[in-house]
Amino acid sequence: MEWVLTATGRSPTNIAVIKYWGKRDEALILPVNDSISVTLDPDHLSATTTVAVSPSFDRDRMWLNGNEISLSGGRFQSCLREIRKRAGDVKDEKKGVHIGKEDWEKLHVHIVSYNNFPTAAGLASSAAGFACLVFTLAKLMNVSENEAALSSIARQGSGSACRSLYGGFVKWVKGEEANGSDSGAVQLVDESYWSDLVVIIAVVSSRQKETSSTSGMRDSVLTSALLQHRAEIIVPKRIRQMEEAIKNRDFGSFASLACADSNQFHAICLDTTPPIFYMNDTSHRIINMVERWRQFEGAPQVAYTFDAGPNAVLIAPNRKVAASLLQRLLFFFPPTPETKLESYIVGETSILQEAGVQAAKDLDSLPLPSEVKDKNNVQKYPGSISYFICTSPGKGPILLSEEHSLVNPATGLPFK
Ligand code: DP6
């Protein structure tokens, strides 16, 4: 075995509050409209990737969550090609390694990546995954491009990945150029700007095989007349309003816009032939719960947004409201008797105490939500949610030290 050089990075996932749905160019992944997202805390939802290079490697290889996967897909190839093109000189005195710019074309890489959340949860993993791949490859290959250029490259792996190159609130500018050179993400504000926000993700139990975003949006572009109207008329105005709401930390406007945009995205799915159903009964019940609460208080209390699946992402303005939201969620969607509380609420679990829940027995004494009208006829849905993740807005990709490497330097293969 000759020398092995590695770099390890970690990238967050993100959730759109103004949705990307529809491409104007499939190969380059260019969207029909701008979108805005919030990056989520990588401690709870992220991808960690090690990229290794060695003269002993005979081809590019990749392992995802412990299994080797093919790199032959166009999206991986685009990211690898674009980063290799921009590679710089790399020197490692300790290992006596000097890789010149021109050598990268002949060297192969091994890529090992893990998500810190279960793939089966149906949470967008491609955003974190491609952002991490591009970010870490760029570090290993000493690419001097800024985040904006890396964002445009990550976009060619998966559209939403271009937004995971930054923390906080991020806008993906659709761009005008046919070659996609001006289509990439910019940071609106960093994660400390609106740090009171709390995000609770309800991972909804579902057995249904979902339509992938890629094929779903292709069908929508081809068949939904609403999509065109949304892209041309609705989104440009909403983007301006959302930017304003974020700048002013105006939670009422933020929540109204996020909910309306999620609902419009799902309306477009329904307007697609054949229609696409991403939300299920549980998703609809969560929307009803939030809407009833809003009506009772006369103002939005929390925002909800749903991607290409039934999971609800709920955003509360602060910990107090988040605790109140968690009380409601646990009231209507309690765990089954077999489910342990520690595996039902994960992430920033300290919020449970604020919700008055220290142990499973406390679930029986949760207060009746004030908006419940008929106290004698309350429907509860145990088992319809797999678990909740409590998290908050988070930072962009970071480089990790060598001790976090997922590649064994002696073999060039993943650690078992
Ligand atoms: C509903 O980025 O997964 O999450 O570009 O084809 O890889 P591809 O699609 P992807 O689509 C995400 C769609 C969405 C909305 C959003 O994240 O903006």
Side-chain angles (χ1 to χ4, degrees), residues 14 16 18-21 23 29 35 75 126 157-161 163 213-214 217 265 307-308:
N14 70 77
I18 300 292
K19 304 289 183 194
Y20 146 53
W21 195 251
K23 298 182 183 72
I29 312 199
S35 53
R75 291 171 171 218
S126 64
S158 180
S160 52
R163 299 184 309 233
S213 315
T214 307
M217 69 175 86
F265 152 50
D307 273 350

